[in-house]
Amino acid sequence: MNSYILRFFSYHQPRRVRVIENLLVNRRTVANLFWGQQYGLLQWLGANRSLTRREYDTTIDELVAQGLLVVDDQQQARLTVAGVQRQEEDRDHQYQPHFLDWYWLANTNQLGQRLLLGMQVVSELAYHNVRYAPVTVGYGHLLAVKQWFARANRDQLAATVYRDLTQLTTGLAGADPRLATVLTDGLVGHDLPAWTNAQLGKQLGMAPADMLVLSHDLLLGVAAYCQHVPGPLHDLLAPLLNEGPLSKSAVQTLNLYQHGHSLTQIAAQRHLKLSTVREHLLEVAILCPAQLDWDQLLPARKRAALVKRYPDPDVTTWHFQSQADDDGAAFFDYRLFQIYQGREAHE
């Protein structure tokens, strides 16, 4: 776990310890999204949803004790010289992801469960076996797989799934042959248990930290395939795929804003706090900036006033200058301008 966590820190840029934890476990506050963008780590959002606070804090303490990381009294961490050297040594053999740009597409924990059960059902169907113990997954996945199976043409299902998997694994192997190996060996078949990540890592000569990254990357690759290629895998997994990076509530707010509604009108129409509507638009500004009319939301005269107040081009050094009797609008403008000024460095 140490080498896994170490890869998210920098020697030149202090990074908030809690932000990195929150990104990995998918705590999607505007602050976490903003800082994740500034750190260049936004694509790791939700990469390790099962990470516990205790496990993470223990790893940070170990990295500090080993002299690889220093943490200040603001809970911001930097790599030491030794940490940079270790990070560079790790990078030479670390697995480098191929599908992180699809970070928003699916919860890979949920996708993996449904895929595992669905492929087990098809394998047992191919052997005409109805007496088997299904893999343990959540009840929602059990119900979804039953419905998928009930709608399928059972006479053709095994053959069509085989063709689908063949096409998928061929594409994955083109990115990295290990992806195809982990996918096929990680499935449950008739009288054939799935290999664990530990077993797969030993077979491939990969450390547990790299297997963690590869497994997440693999399932993002599966999600991207299913989004674009029709077939039984798409039918099985499409209900788990997101339409875009934005939350559903942020999409609704954006649609109203694009149709000319003011923020106050949106709050009233959607029975939301004005602060929530602002958070939605900040989420859009971070994740889908092209969807906004910046000249309308942050006019040139307002940008000119803000640049005088916050002249430093490094937006990570800014501190909000509060104003008397502010209802939140000043901080909204501040954060929006911070996103606006900082986005060029991350495009």
Side-chain angles (χ1 to χ4, degrees):
M1 180 59 68
N2 288 21
S3 64
Y4 177 82
I5 297 298
L6 194 68
R7 74 193 296 162
F8 302 116
F9 289 95
S10 166
Y11 177 75
H12 299 287
Q13 181 187 56
R15 294 179 175 176
R16 303 180 184 203
V17 170
R18 286 293 162 234
V19 166
I20 291 177
E21 176 198 2
N22 291 337
L23 285 172
L24 293 174
V25 301
N26 198 52
R27 295 193 182 102
R28 286 177 55 113
T29 66
V30 167
N32 289 331
L33 294 176
F34 171 76
W35 287 110
Q37 183 185 60
Q38 297 309 308
Y39 299 160
L41 297 176
L42 195 55
Q43 72 273 29
W44 291 91
L45 184 69
N48 192 352
R49 295 169 189 256
S50 60
L51 180 67
T52 65
R53 170 65 58 88
R54 181 175 181 179
E55 183 181 21
Y56 179 77
D57 286 350
T58 297
T59 301
I60 294 295
D61 290 343
E62 289 174 353
L63 292 171
V64 170
Q66 293 167 8
L68 304 177
L69 204 65
V70 291
V71 181
D72 63 22
D73 57 2
Q74 301 297 314
Q75 286 296 293
Q76 297 185 108
R78 285 180 185 263
L79 292 176
T80 63
V81 171
V84 172
Q85 292 173 343
R86 175 67 65 82
Q87 196 181 68
E88 290 175 350
E89 291 168 2
D90 289 343
R91 190 177 293 119
D92 290 339
H93 55 76
Q94 276 180 335
Y95 174 78
Q96 300 302 322
H98 298 270
F99 301 107
L100 284 188
D101 286 346
W102 297 99
Y103 72 92
W104 53 268
L105 185 54
N107 177 332
T108 53
N109 287 358
Q110 299 298 319
L111 194 85
Q113 288 186 56
R114 190 165 299 185
L115 177 66
L116 193 64
L117 178 59
M119 295 306 95
Q120 181 192 22
V121 168
V122 174
S123 178
E124 298 294 356
L125 171 67
Y127 284 86
H128 308 287
N129 181 31
V130 296
R131 296 181 180 275
Y132 62 93
V135 294
T136 302
V137 298
Y139 178 74
H141 297 299
L142 186 63
L143 182 61
V145 171
K146 283 184 177 180
Q147 293 172 341
W148 170 74
F149 187 64
R151 292 192 298 266
N153 181 344
R154 299 187 189 183
D155 293 335
Q156 300 294 323
L157 185 59
T160 55
V161 166
Y162 177 78
R163 289 194 295 269
D164 218 1
L165 281 175
T166 299
Q167 186 172 346
L168 170 58
T169 52
T170 299
L172 291 171
D176 189 318
R178 293 174 294 182
L179 291 167
T181 298
V182 171
L183 175 62
T184 54
D185 289 347
L187 296 177
V188 175
H190 176 71
D191 289 336
L192 187 66
W195 286 41
T196 65
N197 263 10
Q199 292 171 322
L200 289 164
K202 186 175 181 180
Q203 178 194 15
L204 296 171
M206 296 180 66
D210 284 323
M211 286 302 303
L212 191 61
V213 176
L214 185 149
S215 297
H216 176 66
D217 192 44
L218 165 63
L219 289 168
L220 289 179
V222 172
Y225 172 87
C226 291
Q227 186 191 49
H228 291 95
V229 181
L233 291 181
H234 170 272
D235 296 340
L236 173 66
L237 301 176
L240 296 176
L241 304 183
N242 299 314
E243 294 182 3
L246 301 175
S247 65
K248 293 181 179 178
S249 191
V251 169
Q252 294 176 30
T253 292
L254 176 61
N255 287 338
L256 290 171
Y257 179 76
Q258 289 176 329
H259 283 83
H261 293 73
S262 70
L263 274 60
T264 303
Q265 290 171 331
I266 295 170
Q269 184 170 337
R270 299 201 58 212
H271 306 288
L272 297 174
K273 294 179 180 178
L274 184 58
S275 60
T276 302
V277 173
R278 289 173 176 150
E279 287 178 0
H280 288 165
L281 291 181
L282 290 173
E283 180 183 339
V284 178
I286 295 167
L287 299 178
C288 301
Q291 301 267 4
L292 292 175
D293 183 342
W294 286 88
D295 289 333
Q296 177 186 4
L297 193 60
L298 198 64
R301 57 177 176 73
K302 186 174 288 187
R303 296 200 298 269
L306 286 165
V307 79
K308 291 179 180 178
R309 185 172 295 177
Y310 305 102
D312 193 334
D314 183 0
V315 301
T316 66
T317 67
W318 293 4
H319 297 283
F320 174 59
Q321 301 173 24
S322 60
Q323 300 178 12
D325 301 324
D326 175 41
D327 64 352
F331 183 79
F332 174 67
D333 289 342
Y334 161 79
R335 181 68 91 195
L336 195 63
F337 186 60
Q338 200 176 26
I339 295 166
Y340 179 84
Q341 291 291 83
R343 64 179 179 168
E344 289 187 2
H346 303 283
E347 288 182 346

